[in-house]
Amino acid sequence: MIDLQSPGWPVIQCPYLISLHCSAITCSHHISSIPIKLWERIISAGRKQNTQFSNMPWPINGGVNLAPSPPQRDLLLTGHEDGTVRFWDASGVCLQLMYKMSTVGVFHTDSDHNDNVNSNDDEDWPPLRKVGSFDPYSDDPRLGVQKIYLCKYSGYLSVAGTAGQILVLELNDEGAEHVVEQILVDLLQEQDGYRWKGHERLRAREDSIHFPPGFQPFALVQCQPPAAITSLALHSEWRLLAFGTSHGFGLYDFQQRRPVMVKCTLHASDQIALEGPLSRVKSLKKSLRQSFRRIRRSQVNKRRAGPESRVQEANARFEQEALHEMELAPVQRRIEARSAEDSFTGFVRTLYFADTYLRDSSRHTPSLWAGTNGGTVYAYSLRVPPTERRMEEAVSATQAKEIQLMHRAPVVGILVLDGHNVPLPEPLEAAHDLSKSPDMQGSHQLLVTSEEQFKVFTLPKVSSKLKLKLTATEGCRVRKMAVCTFGSCKSEEHSENHLTVLTNLGDIQVVSLPQLKPQVRYECIRKEDVSGIASCVFTKHGQGFYLISPSEMERFSLSTCWLVAPRGRVDPPEFPQHTRLQRKSSKEQQPERTRLSDRSNRDADAHRAQGPLMENALLNDDKMLKEIQNTLEGTRTSFGERHSRPIGVGLRLSNGAAE
């Protein structure tokens, strides 16, 4: 909609049908129950950006909204290919754009390719001007946002990109101009002989940069090699930021602006991780060549072996398969353990902060947990100085545990349960009295979710307690995992925490904690929709979002208490009133005309009322029935001759005959 009455013909802001994919969506992040103070500050920053829109309200209206007001304020953050992050109001049915943040200003990029479209030349007619927000092109693909994390209590925001860049931002109500501090983190400092073959890192600006009101970056962490960020975690109470790539992970102290530790997770065979996305053709040729060599080598060995050795090999293979079948349950599939030489085993899939018992059962300490694509879990013990000495003393990290899953499946999620089997609260959540303080008296438990199974360990001994095999029993693999709180519709005080899982088949399963018993299973996304499964995000109260197309996002709910659905009513237009009602209203204005019309109407009604009575009377007259019979028998007297006799004036009709 364009306002043609205002000078410059500004665009009217759309309340619905928003263009989600002004630039391609690369990641999503959902936050529930936003505090009112942070909510109002984001709205204020967004209004200062919308000065180019018209003040005219949306001209199309109609219908009645019957949906109740949202019980809480929810935010949906979408990261885009052009390096922007958009904040959407996800409390109701329609997503409404609240604020837009860009990371492009921190780096040196090429000039906008659409400058020639926006420029107005007086000699050209008619003048063309770009309208709308759809811009599918990107200045540099390295600007694409891969991971987002927002702390709703402190207002800290972290945005990670495709070229290994991580920005730490804070919310400011006024515009500011300052220098963004930069630090380079080498994830390959313990390895020799590796060479990165992918894209180069972005060149950051070293001078002072002016930032508008809103989220403003104050720190930049650049990973080397500049691979895409694969996992991100931020702890606002400890002022720590954890990040991971396909080469390793690191820890950054954004209060003292210094790195704390770096861990390289590369295996000796992870050469593909160093080639980057532009060298996959070479790796494909290499893998095909190795496959053909294995086939040729096996054929040569079969030719050299005699008949006796072949019989022995067959018997040994048969005995081994029989033993495996006896060990497995009847309903389980046989899942072969993955080789340690598989590519991307050092790929960091998840990062998790927890205050738990890591070294002994007498003292709990801050800790950092990291899970890799090769089924390895690293646990680091952190020493965070108290608040009064936070700026003087440095944060330290030492490795305390290392868990290697036997099936070597990728680790999707890590979770710590307190003494009451409740997941640990978010940072600053208990400090703001928005959740109960965790039980630090009883023993804690560690839940490790891989693509194939769930496994619970006791802490601090890290001994296996129970597990649930998913791939062996159902043949699917875990893609997404989150802990959701399901409330009761009858009692607001009762709620349960369960594990919500999305599989590669598009099914959503709810598993109880900590018993790991499957509760329900629903079909949600088509298994062929790989992009939809990859884009799915869960909310804290059992809802979810996923892309059904590049421009459409679908919302679903697993909880009957938290259901957002369109409820409205469209009233039909009022039709003109009946003619008699109009005639009645005119009677008051013109009594004489109405009296005459009423008399004529009564006569007409009387005539219409006698019509059916006379028709019935014709059938009851013997003389008329006789004439009808004579006519049917072929009497020469016609109907006109019989009724051509004149009727005298003053005579009345009785049963159709003149008297």
Side-chain angles (χ1 to χ4, degrees):
M1 291 289 182
I2 301 176
D3 182 8
L4 301 180
Q5 298 179 358
S6 302
W9 293 0
V11 178
I12 305 174
Q13 194 169 8
C14 299
Y16 46 81
L17 296 179
I18 309 294
S19 178
L20 291 175
H21 67 311
C22 346
S23 177
I25 298 177
T26 51
C27 66
S28 301
H29 180 62
H30 186 274
I31 312 102
S32 302
S33 304
I34 301 296
I36 183 62
K37 187 176 181 180
L38 177 62
W39 187 266
E40 293 177 348
R41 294 178 68 185
I42 295 176
I43 291 178
S44 176
R47 287 175 178 172
K48 296 176 182 179
Q49 293 180 340
N50 298 334
T51 56
Q52 75 276 11
F53 290 104
S54 172
N55 296 326
M56 178 184 295
W58 188 253
I60 300 176
N61 54 22
V64 180
N65 184 16
L66 301 179
S69 58
Q72 62 183 17
R73 295 168 294 273
D74 291 349
L75 267 180
L76 179 66
L77 276 61
T78 55
H80 298 264
E81 191 180 16
D82 59 353
T84 59
V85 178
R86 286 171 170 81
F87 290 66
W88 305 92
D89 180 5
S91 307
V93 176
C94 296
L95 292 178
Q96 296 182 357
L97 182 62
M98 300 174 57
Y99 170 71
K100 172 186 173 182
M101 190 273 299
S102 178
T103 62
V104 181
V106 184
F107 306 98
H108 291 283
T109 58
D110 298 334
S111 59
D112 188 8
H113 61 278
N114 287 326
D115 287 343
N116 55 350
V117 178
N118 297 327
S119 62
N120 294 326
D121 194 353
D122 297 337
E123 298 180 358
D124 295 338
W125 184 262
L128 299 178
R129 182 168 58 93
K130 180 182 176 182
V131 176
S133 59
F134 181 68
D135 188 10
Y137 303 100
S138 175
D139 296 337
D140 196 329
R142 297 175 295 177
L143 293 170
V145 179
Q146 296 295 323
K147 295 292 178 180
I148 308 172
Y149 192 94
L150 173 65
C151 178
K152 59 184 178 182
Y153 304 110
S154 62
Y156 284 112
L157 172 68
S158 181
V159 180
T162 306
Q165 72 274 19
I166 307 107
L167 285 172
V168 187
L169 308 94
E170 59 181 350
L171 187 58
N172 193 350
D173 298 330
E174 302 294 335
E177 185 174 350
H178 58 265
V179 178
V180 179
E181 296 189 18
Q182 308 172 25
I183 186 171
L184 186 66
V185 176
D186 185 12
L187 296 176
L188 299 178
Q189 58 182 4
E190 300 178 0
Q191 304 290 334
D192 297 330
Y194 287 99
R195 185 170 61 90
W196 171 251
K197 302 177 183 178
H199 50 247
E200 298 180 356
R201 64 184 179 95
L202 289 166
R203 293 185 301 110
R205 296 186 177 182
E206 300 179 356
D207 54 347
S208 181
I209 307 173
H210 176 75
F211 297 101
F215 286 94
Q216 301 172 356
F218 63 88
L220 170 63
V221 180
Q222 178 62 56
C223 296
Q224 194 67 25
I229 302 299
T230 58
S231 56
L232 189 69
L234 185 143
H235 201 290
S236 53
E237 186 177 0
W238 302 336
R239 299 292 194 273
L240 296 177
L241 174 71
F243 53 90
T245 68
S246 56
H247 307 110
F249 61 94
L251 185 64
Y252 176 72
D253 181 3
F254 59 85
Q255 183 166 352
Q256 295 187 4
R257 315 287 173 86
R258 57 177 294 273
V260 178
M261 53 81 60
V262 172
K263 172 66 176 179
C264 181
T265 57
L266 277 181
H267 193 266
S269 61
D270 283 344
Q271 291 292 336
I272 299 180
L274 292 168
E275 294 177 355
L278 302 179
S279 303
R280 298 291 175 85
V281 179
K282 296 181 180 179
S283 62
L284 180 61
K285 292 181 180 179
K286 182 178 179 181
S287 61
L288 289 175
R289 190 179 298 110
Q290 292 177 353
S291 300
F292 281 116
R293 288 177 180 174
R294 292 195 197 99
I295 295 173
R296 190 181 300 110
R297 192 181 300 113
S298 62
Q299 292 178 352
V300 171
N301 294 334
K302 289 180 180 179
R303 292 174 183 173
R304 293 178 179 176
E308 297 180 357
S309 60
R310 294 178 183 177
V311 173
Q312 294 177 358
E313 291 178 1
N315 293 333
R317 193 183 303 110
F318 178 76
E319 293 177 358
Q320 188 176 5
E321 291 178 357
L323 290 175
H324 279 290
E325 290 178 359
M326 292 174 61
E327 293 174 358
L328 294 175
V331 295
Q332 293 184 0
R333 295 173 174 82
R334 180 181 177 182
I335 306 298
E336 295 183 358
R338 307 189 186 194
S339 173
E341 298 180 356
D342 290 345
S343 300
F344 289 106
T345 55
F347 189 99
V348 180
R349 295 285 295 267
T350 181
L351 292 166
Y352 179 70
F353 285 106
D355 186 6
T356 184
Y357 300 96
L358 187 58
R359 294 186 178 274
D360 52 56
S361 58
S362 60
R363 185 166 54 95
H364 57 88
T365 59
S367 61
L368 172 64
W369 301 77
T372 67
N373 215 39
T376 306
V377 178
Y378 299 95
Y380 277 76
S381 176
L382 307 179
R383 180 189 174 276
V384 181
T387 307
E388 58 272 10
R389 300 193 305 271
R390 183 65 175 81
M391 292 300 297
E392 290 78 15
E393 300 181 8
V395 179
S396 61
T398 55
Q399 184 172 348
K401 306 286 183 182
E402 182 175 345
I403 306 172
Q404 179 62 58
L405 302 179
M406 296 301 295
H407 56 288
R408 297 184 181 273
V411 179
V412 179
I414 300 174
L415 185 69
V416 173
L417 305 176
D418 65 1
H420 293 305
N421 297 325
V422 177
L424 296 181
E426 297 179 6
L428 295 177
E429 189 175 10
H432 287 74
D433 296 331
L434 297 176
S435 68
K436 296 181 180 179
S437 299
D439 181 18
M440 309 303 290
Q441 302 298 327
S443 60
H444 287 192
Q445 301 180 72
L446 173 68
L447 172 64
V448 178
T449 303
S450 68
E451 286 189 355
E452 298 180 0
Q453 67 181 14
F454 312 99
K455 200 165 187 178
V456 177
F457 299 89
T458 59
L459 290 177
K461 294 183 179 181
V462 193
S463 58
S464 179
K465 186 177 181 181
L466 69 147
K467 63 182 176 180
L468 172 64
K469 296 181 179 180
L470 190 67
T471 305
T473 56
E474 301 184 12
C476 56
R477 298 181 184 274
V478 178
R479 288 291 180 259
K480 300 285 183 176
M481 162 261 194
V483 177
C484 298
T485 302
F486 295 94
S488 174
C489 296
K490 297 182 180 180
S491 176
E492 297 181 356
E493 299 179 354
H494 180 72
S495 63
E496 298 177 356
N497 295 312
H498 294 288
L499 194 66
T500 307
V501 174
L502 174 67
T503 68
N504 62 331
L505 302 179
D507 298 336
I508 294 180
Q509 300 188 25
V510 179
V511 181
S512 65
L513 289 177
Q515 296 83 9
L516 297 183
K517 293 183 179 180
Q519 302 295 315
V520 292
R521 176 179 178 179
Y522 302 103
E523 295 181 358
C524 183
I525 310 175
R526 295 183 299 107
K527 62 180 180 180
E528 297 84 9
D529 190 2
V530 180
S531 60
I533 296 175
S535 64
C536 181
V537 290
F538 290 108
T539 70
K540 190 176 181 180
H541 298 283
Q543 301 182 51
F545 296 85
Y546 71 94
L547 290 171
I548 58 176
S549 72
S551 61
E552 295 174 298
M553 191 165 279
E554 185 158 293
R555 184 174 192 160
F556 62 89
S557 178
L558 299 172
S559 174
T560 56
C561 297
W562 297 91
L563 182 62
V564 179
R567 295 170 184 154
R569 184 186 73 246
V570 178
D571 297 327
E574 296 182 359
F575 294 100
Q577 296 181 352
H578 198 269
T579 309
R580 291 187 177 180
L581 298 179
Q582 294 179 354
R583 193 177 294 121
K584 183 178 179 181
S585 62
S586 62
K587 180 179 178 181
E588 300 175 356
Q589 301 176 0
Q590 299 177 356
E592 293 295 334
R593 183 183 302 174
T594 306
R595 194 177 297 113
L596 294 174
S597 61
D598 289 344
R599 183 181 302 171
S600 60
N601 289 335
R602 285 196 297 269
D603 296 341
D605 294 341
H607 178 71
R608 286 193 295 268
Q610 290 179 358
L613 294 177
M614 292 177 67
E615 291 176 1
N616 295 331
L618 292 176
L619 298 178
N620 295 331
D621 188 13
D622 296 336
K623 187 183 297 185
M624 182 58 67
L625 291 175
K626 188 176 182 179
E627 290 183 3
I628 294 174
Q629 185 177 3
N630 294 335
T631 304
L632 295 176
E633 292 176 356
T635 308
R636 293 183 179 180
T637 306
S638 63
F639 184 81
E641 293 177 354
R642 290 194 301 269
H643 291 273
S644 61
R645 298 187 302 269
I647 299 175
V649 179
L651 300 180
R652 60 186 179 89
L653 293 176
S654 177
N655 293 334
E659 294 182 357

